[in-house]
Amino acid sequence: MLNSTLSNAIRLALMGSLALTGQSVLAAENDGGQVQKEQEIERIVTTGSRIGRAQIEGPSPVVVMTAEDIEAKGFGNVFEAIQSLSSATGDTQGQGYTNSFTPNAETVNLRGMGANRTLVLLNGRRVANYPRAFNGENNVFNLSTISAAAISRIEILTGGSSAVYGSDAIAGVVNIITKTNVDDTTVRLRHSTTDQGGGDSNKFSITGGFSEGDLSLTYALEYSQQDMLRGYERDWLDDVNDGPATEDEPEYQRVNSRSIMAATYDGGFSYLHPDEFGSNLCDQWSGYELSERPSRGFYCGRDSTGDGSYINDREHLSLYTNLSWQLNSNHEFFAEALYWDSEAQNRGGYGISWGTDRLPEGIAIADQWVWDATNDRYLFMQRTFTEEEVGDVNKHFKDEMLYAAAGFRGTVLDDWNYELSISHSASDNFEHQNLIASDKAIDYFLGQPLAGTTNEFNPDFDLFWRPLDAQGREAIVEVNDSKADASVTTVNASLTGAVFELPAGEVDFALAFEWSSEDYSIKLDPRTLDKTTGWGNGLTGTEGEGERDRYGMAVEFRVPLTEQVQANIAGRYDYYDDETAVDGAFTYQLGLEYRPLDELLVRANYGTTFRAPDIHQVYAGPSGFYQSFTDYWLESKCVQIVTGQDTGLSQAENDAITYQCDMDSAGRLKEGQRYQGTRTGNKDLKEETGYSATLGFVWSITEEIDLISDVYRIRIEDKVESWDTDHFYRTEAECRNGQSDNEALCADVLSRIKRFDATAPNVGLTVNTAHTTYINQSLSEQTGFDMNLKAGFDLGDYGLIDIDLKYTHVLEVVNQEFPGDEIDKEYRDSWLNNDFRSRWDNKFGWRNDNWVVQLQQTRLGSSWNYEDPDPERNPSDDRRALASRMAPWLVYNLGVTYVINDDHNVKLGVNNLRDSKARNDESYIGGSPWFNRARYPVTTAVMGRTFSIEWVARF
């Protein structure tokens, strides 16, 4: 069993970095693409254990993606590469999510457990999170900060590993390992363009290094530039009639956007015809036209479907360097640094706007009307401003990240290995955009309120119905700027070695200590959360500021029980010094390896996990957001009204609800519902707990074929989430309808929801605002399996073929929203589950002489469309009939490389070879791009077929 060579290899491997030792990939590929079975003894740094090993596989599944893999599969950056993993079954957000809280950050969501439950490491060390909160709720790592030029490989542990890495490693660990000991220079030039135009990108990188005596230095420089891609550059995203189910969409989504509009309320919401204020007013703006919404009237509008961006305009600059200095035969000094700079901009789909529904608090009647004293009527006003009126309409982002680490490693006491290091990383974000100052717009368009009132005005309709001039711009346009920063400092120390010998071999031991200090701050423009001023488009945001320290100690043993059986045992204790109820947490892990044959490994791993709440979940300040929701209480009353039942409400309340109901469809409202929410942090949160287990095998079937298969289960209890919106409003409906016996819960929920008074024009009894917080609310458990088939064949004169097929299938998802709720064991197939049930990540390669061809296939499994099939949640028979699962989605990338000589090659690539769009959802009414952007990768689905050419030279 290679005991002697393994013993020697361990002594080399244990000199690797603290958190980077453990398991390696099943089979490396040689230059010809054949699977290579020989175990190469070298200093290896891999993920999953702190104890070094030269054996090919260990007790926990680890997926390895080399720099060559990233290039061969046609991915332009780390985010795209990791997003392609078969285990990345959860939804996520990237630059295609234009109106999110983090539109310039890109994340990964392994197993659908949430982007904040995968720990991302750089060379085994923690790196500062993106300073802004993902979804306004969570702290995540921005994968964009690591350039592909600096990467040697990425190792992904697809399961929990808190006993080794502590908090956050609850769904998986992504360890990005950089290049070292490079002694040549590699230059890459890459240009890509899209088949339909727009979204062009360019990349330049240079990687090199040198060694001189005991000193070794490696560096990597990368610059990339990407053009913005907007909807009008795609013929299926440039017109409101491009929607897949236009006739079934709400009326307001089938007409031009209300660019300039005034309305009143007289038994219903009706637009005031622009002709009331002058002749041919809409013609004053290029592209505007007199438009009509049949149920409400005329206004100045334009089709804004193609205005928004799906791909950011951005420039990235990254510089990475590391050095090692061999002080003597036993001690080495090492240091590394990474600097990343990004400047980006995007464009929202609706432009810069102002309306009376976004006035400072306490002015508007029912939060949308003012009183037009000139004409003695309710008045609603809304304007969207053009680029000619307000100047730059894009939102700008400036991001920087700095990471540095240094330390010593070597050997003490003859054969004990140590490492001592300190690392620090800081991430900063600055954002700015032109917006309308709401309070100033009141003065400009409405004037001062009449004496003794707050909402009665004599509006200046001449100003409102004409383009904004330079004087007007100066009067009402301001720059909204904000900043955020985050940092983490970590000190690591480890000691590893063989403690004693058993008949089957040496018992290896690792002891590690870790201290880290984390802080963050999000500072918005003072106007953003100031309800007395505000922005004309109602912009809100999230603030927060806090810090905490963490102490951790871990111990690990690898014990050879017999020549065929080996055990890995790990335990860790973490203590959090902050204001939460977490304090300390102990986790343990046990792994077993059984090798009945040299060609077969049977393995099992079980470990408990924990996760401290995100620092933002603890320290979030007053935060605002807007969210669509299903108003279950209002819909239940609509059913009663349409079917002639007694609602138990007053006549005024019945009239208000009748106004909201679609009288032709019991339980359906005329308009989609959206509420303005607020949320704050919660210092009473406790940690999430759970376990992660795997059982599988690694089988070298022949010299050419390897098969790896593992069944996994991940369980999380007391998940920290913002109060689930669907549960929140279902609970409210049950409480209002007398269907709940939980008086305390009902009192809490009802106190958090504020509905308009029944007499409020147009919005009677609809939800105005609601306040939520973060709570330990749910249980989640997922069971599934991963399979990986690797094969390499030598066809002689016909070349070499290699195949790498990865498949993940989710067998069961168990979900419980709140303690005491019914446990849903069928959640995998539920419409409420937004994740894929299966994914493929396949690579096919062929090489002959100077030609290399690679085909990458990504398959996203079936998923529900937009329409809810549950009759309780969706009482409309017509709409419910549209509910179905959409077919899987396949995307292919093709690369053809011609090797000119040993130092030069050129590659032609075609990504999204078949120009595949996201699955057409005939029920989707969420607006363009008419598919769920959290589910499908926008950069692929919208960009379409992309061509690239790359030149690589080595000197």
Side-chain angles (χ1 to χ4, degrees):
M1 292 300 293
L2 300 176
N3 281 340
S4 60
T5 54
L6 175 60
S7 177
N8 292 330
I10 288 171
R11 284 166 172 76
L12 290 173
L14 290 178
M15 296 175 65
S17 103
L18 170 65
L20 299 177
T21 52
Q23 313 161 63
S24 187
V25 65
L26 171 66
E29 291 184 355
N30 62 23
D31 290 339
Q34 287 182 298
V35 175
Q36 183 176 315
K37 289 295 192 294
E38 292 80 5
Q39 295 180 345
E40 297 182 5
I41 305 304
E42 58 177 330
R43 181 191 292 183
I44 54 175
V45 285
T46 49
T47 303
S49 167
R50 294 185 185 274
I51 293 178
R53 56 193 312 120
Q55 291 175 300
I56 300 301
E57 281 278 350
S60 298
V62 176
V63 177
V64 179
M65 185 181 298
T66 66
E68 291 73 19
D69 290 331
I70 296 173
E71 178 187 357
K73 292 182 177 184
F75 300 124
N77 53 54
V78 175
F79 166 66
E80 292 179 4
I82 295 180
Q83 191 185 41
S84 74
L85 292 169
S86 66
S87 55
T89 54
D91 61 10
T92 187
Q93 296 176 10
Q95 58 180 313
Y97 230 91
T98 311
N99 293 318
S100 71
F101 285 86
T102 54
N104 202 37
E106 296 172 315
T107 63
V108 63
N109 184 356
L110 296 181
R111 308 297 190 198
M113 294 295 177
N116 57 333
R117 293 185 178 89
T118 296
L119 176 62
V120 179
L121 304 171
L122 179 59
N123 291 332
R125 300 177 181 86
R126 290 177 180 257
V127 190
N129 284 318
Y130 194 69
R132 295 193 186 267
F134 179 80
N135 267 340
E137 301 177 25
N138 310 126
N139 299 115
V140 297
F141 180 75
N142 181 14
L143 293 169
S144 297
T145 58
I146 311 297
S147 71
I151 293 175
S152 171
R153 65 184 183 276
I154 304 171
E155 298 183 344
I156 304 99
L157 181 66
T158 55
S161 191
S162 293
V164 177
Y165 297 104
S167 180
D168 304 328
I170 200 165
V173 180
V174 174
N175 189 13
I176 301 171
I177 299 171
T178 56
K179 296 174 180 176
T180 59
N181 300 319
V182 175
D183 56 9
D184 59 6
T185 300
T186 301
V187 176
R188 294 178 181 270
L189 292 172
R190 186 176 189 266
H191 172 74
S192 67
T193 187
T194 60
D195 187 22
Q196 301 173 56
D200 287 11
S201 65
N202 299 285
K203 182 183 292 186
F204 164 78
S205 69
I206 179 169
T207 305
F210 67 88
S211 298
E212 185 69 33
D214 295 325
L215 181 67
S216 176
L217 175 71
T218 297
Y219 65 88
L221 171 69
E222 181 177 283
Y223 169 80
S224 63
Q225 176 271 331
Q226 174 183 278
D227 291 342
M228 184 183 295
L229 178 69
R230 294 173 61 186
Y232 71 79
E233 298 177 90
R234 293 293 176 265
D235 58 11
W236 58 284
L237 287 173
D238 63 351
D239 190 299
V240 69
N241 295 309
D242 289 330
T246 302
E247 292 304 317
D248 294 322
E249 288 178 357
E251 185 185 61
Y252 65 88
Q253 290 188 358
R254 290 185 275 124
V255 297
N256 285 337
S257 61
R258 274 71 69 206
S259 302
I260 306 177
M261 176 264 287
T264 190
Y265 183 84
D266 184 12
F269 193 106
S270 60
Y271 298 161
L272 298 170
H273 200 295
D275 286 351
E276 177 182 328
F277 307 97
S279 300
N280 302 318
L281 295 181
C282 300
D283 295 340
Q284 300 176 94
W285 291 269
S286 175
Y288 286 14
E289 61 184 1
L290 184 64
S291 305
E292 181 186 13
R293 179 176 176 181
S295 65
R296 292 191 173 178
F298 290 87
Y299 57 94
C300 293
R302 64 183 298 270
D303 188 349
S304 62
T305 304
D307 288 358
S309 63
Y310 295 98
I311 308 297
N312 292 353
D313 179 288
R314 61 182 181 181
E315 291 184 89
H316 287 176
L317 175 65
S318 176
L319 175 62
Y320 173 78
T321 184
N322 68 61
L323 67 85
S324 63
W325 182 17
Q326 195 69 40
L327 303 175
N328 53 45
S329 59
N330 292 322
H331 303 284
E332 177 187 29
F333 171 78
F334 65 91
E336 59 185 352
L338 169 70
Y339 173 73
W340 175 77
D341 176 270
S342 171
E343 294 191 20
Q345 54 183 315
N346 68 17
R347 181 166 181 159
Y350 297 103
I352 297 173
S353 62
W354 172 81
T356 55
D357 57 340
R358 297 291 182 258
L359 299 184
E361 189 175 47
I363 295 179
I365 304 166
D367 275 3
Q368 61 179 318
W369 304 97
V370 295
W371 187 255
D372 177 4
T374 304
N375 298 290
D376 199 30
R377 62 189 176 187
Y378 287 110
L379 178 66
F380 178 91
M381 305 173 77
Q382 177 180 300
R383 275 197 61 167
T384 301
F385 298 88
T386 65
E387 192 166 1
E388 291 76 17
E389 292 178 283
V390 298
D392 186 4
V393 296
N394 292 339
K395 187 173 184 179
H396 298 259
F397 313 91
K398 168 74 173 177
D399 287 293
E400 290 183 292
M401 198 272 277
L402 177 64
Y403 161 83
F408 297 89
R409 57 190 170 213
T411 305
V412 295
L413 302 176
D414 293 332
D415 58 357
W416 283 75
N417 300 279
Y418 77 93
E419 178 171 303
L420 177 64
S421 68
I422 182 171
S423 63
H424 176 78
S425 66
S427 179
D428 297 311
N429 169 269
F430 304 90
E431 299 180 3
H432 73 272
Q433 64 181 139
N434 288 337
L435 291 177
I436 305 300
S438 185
D439 56 341
K440 293 183 177 181
I442 294 175
D443 293 339
Y444 189 74
F445 293 120
L446 299 176
Q448 292 297 309
L450 300 186
T453 74
T454 60
N455 50 41
E456 297 184 18
F457 300 88
N458 289 312
D460 189 334
F461 290 112
D462 287 338
L463 279 179
F464 182 77
W465 285 99
R466 74 183 184 206
L468 195 68
D469 57 20
Q471 183 179 0
R473 181 192 303 181
E474 182 69 22
I476 67 174
V477 176
E478 287 190 3
V479 177
N480 165 37
D481 52 18
S482 61
K483 62 180 180 179
D485 58 77
S487 71
V488 60
T489 301
T490 305
V491 175
N492 288 312
S494 69
L495 188 65
T496 57
V499 288
F500 55 86
E501 188 164 349
L502 295 176
E506 292 180 329
V507 175
D508 296 305
F509 165 81
L511 178 65
F513 298 91
E514 183 177 2
W515 168 83
S516 69
S517 180
E518 175 187 14
D519 64 67
Y520 91 114
S521 174
I522 305 175
K523 298 293 186 182
L524 301 180
D525 189 290
R527 181 178 289 276
T528 302
L529 296 177
D530 187 346
K531 295 182 179 180
T532 67
T533 56
W535 296 110
N537 62 349
L539 177 73
T540 184
T542 181
E543 283 194 324
E545 184 173 16
E547 61 180 332
R548 64 183 176 190
D549 293 342
R550 178 174 59 88
Y551 307 85
M553 182 178 73
V555 62
E556 186 178 357
F557 293 92
R558 184 174 66 236
V559 183
L561 303 179
T562 69
E563 287 193 354
Q564 288 78 35
V565 181
Q566 187 165 259
N568 281 54
I569 305 167
R572 179 178 174 120
Y573 181 79
D574 287 88
Y575 178 79
Y576 277 79
D577 184 5
D578 59 14
E579 300 182 49
T580 68
V582 174
D583 294 332
F586 175 76
T587 51
Y588 66 88
Q589 186 169 303
L590 173 64
L592 290 175
E593 305 169 51
Y594 173 48
R595 286 182 168 81
L597 304 169
D598 288 342
E599 298 82 11
L600 179 63
L601 164 66
V602 180
R603 62 188 179 189
N605 191 74
Y606 176 88
T608 59
T609 58
F610 94 103
R611 181 179 172 276
D614 288 339
I615 192 171
H616 183 70
Q617 293 171 335
V618 178
Y619 296 107
S623 304
F625 59 93
Y626 296 93
Q627 187 164 351
S628 299
F629 74 106
T630 300
D631 194 330
Y632 293 109
W633 179 71
L634 213 57
E635 288 187 348
S636 71
K637 294 304 173 185
C638 281
V639 171
Q640 293 175 333
I641 288 174
V642 172
T643 57
Q645 302 177 50
D646 182 12
T647 64
L649 302 175
S650 69
Q651 186 60 49
E653 291 171 326
N654 282 334
D655 290 344
I657 295 176
T658 300
Y659 181 84
Q660 305 297 332
C661 294
D662 180 351
M663 301 305 291
D664 296 325
S665 178
R668 184 168 176 81
L669 305 179
K670 288 189 233 179
E671 304 277 357
Q673 297 297 297
R674 197 172 127 173
Y675 74 98
Q676 181 177 351
T678 58
R679 180 172 47 231
T680 52
N682 184 357
K683 295 181 180 180
D684 294 326
L685 293 170
K686 60 182 181 179
E687 68 269 22
E688 301 174 350
T689 59
Y691 69 81
S692 177
T694 59
L695 175 65
F697 65 86
V698 181
W699 182 20
S700 297
I701 301 173
T702 69
E703 289 294 317
E704 294 81 19
I705 303 173
D706 295 314
L707 178 64
I708 307 172
S709 181
D710 293 277
V711 177
Y712 69 87
R713 173 172 289 175
I714 299 176
R715 182 183 178 94
I716 306 175
E717 299 180 15
D718 294 321
K719 284 178 68 175
V720 177
E721 303 281 3
S722 178
W723 202 325
D724 178 73
T725 297
D726 193 74
H727 180 276
F728 192 63
Y729 285 102
R730 277 191 286 118
T731 301
E732 185 220 13
E734 292 170 358
C735 293
R736 289 187 183 276
N737 291 330
Q739 299 169 333
S740 174
D741 297 327
N742 192 332
E743 295 181 3
L745 177 62
C746 285
D748 186 26
V749 170
L750 295 179
S751 70
R752 293 175 176 273
I753 298 174
K754 178 183 176 183
R755 288 182 178 269
F756 288 108
D757 185 79
T759 61
N762 190 53
V763 292
L765 293 185
T766 62
V767 173
N768 181 8
T769 61
H771 178 72
T772 67
T773 187
Y774 301 96
I775 55 176
N776 292 95
Q777 71 176 41
S778 59
L779 173 151
S780 181
E781 180 182 282
Q782 184 181 125
T783 303
F785 67 85
D786 301 317
M787 295 191 69
N788 183 197
L789 176 68
K790 297 185 178 184
F793 303 98
D794 187 344
L795 304 181
D797 293 340
Y798 296 99
L800 304 166
I801 290 178
D802 66 274
I803 301 172
D804 188 352
L805 311 180
K806 296 183 177 70
Y807 176 62
T808 294
H809 189 86
V810 178
L811 297 171
E812 181 185 62
V813 178
V814 176
N815 189 67
Q816 183 186 40
E817 289 295 340
F818 282 88
D821 286 357
E822 181 180 355
I823 296 178
D824 184 358
K825 294 186 177 180
E826 305 298 327
Y827 191 73
R828 184 196 79 146
D829 301 316
S830 170
W831 179 83
L832 297 173
N833 182 12
N834 205 37
D835 300 335
F836 293 107
R837 297 188 299 192
S838 64
R839 284 193 67 151
W840 282 96
D841 174 22
N842 300 329
K843 185 184 73 171
F844 307 89
W846 172 79
R847 176 168 184 165
N848 194 15
D849 296 328
N850 294 339
W851 291 96
V852 180
V853 179
Q854 297 280 356
L855 179 68
Q856 163 71 18
Q857 179 198 59
T858 300
R859 178 186 183 273
L860 307 180
S862 66
S863 60
W864 278 105
N865 64 6
Y866 187 79
E867 203 60 52
D868 191 343
D870 190 321
E872 292 185 6
R873 294 190 300 261
N874 185 4
S876 172
D877 294 336
D878 293 338
R879 296 297 304 180
R880 199 169 62 252
L882 297 174
S884 64
R885 292 193 72 90
M886 296 182 294
W889 187 54
L890 286 83
V891 177
Y892 294 87
N893 294 346
L894 176 67
V896 179
T897 301
Y898 178 69
V899 181
I900 301 171
N901 53 45
D902 290 343
D903 297 323
H904 298 270
N905 66 67
V906 62
K907 177 182 177 182
L908 298 177
V910 185
N911 282 14
N912 197 353
L913 183 65
R914 302 189 308 160
D915 196 20
S916 300
K917 301 180 180 66
R919 284 298 176 190
N920 186 31
D921 184 352
E922 295 183 356
S923 69
Y924 195 77
I925 58 175
S928 58
W930 294 293
F931 64 82
N932 190 329
R933 284 188 281 180
R935 184 178 294 162
Y936 295 101
V938 177
T939 50
T940 301
V942 175
M943 289 184 76
R945 187 182 295 113
T946 303
F947 301 99
S948 64
I949 182 169
E950 183 177 35
W951 172 69
V952 181
R954 295 179 177 85
F955 304 97

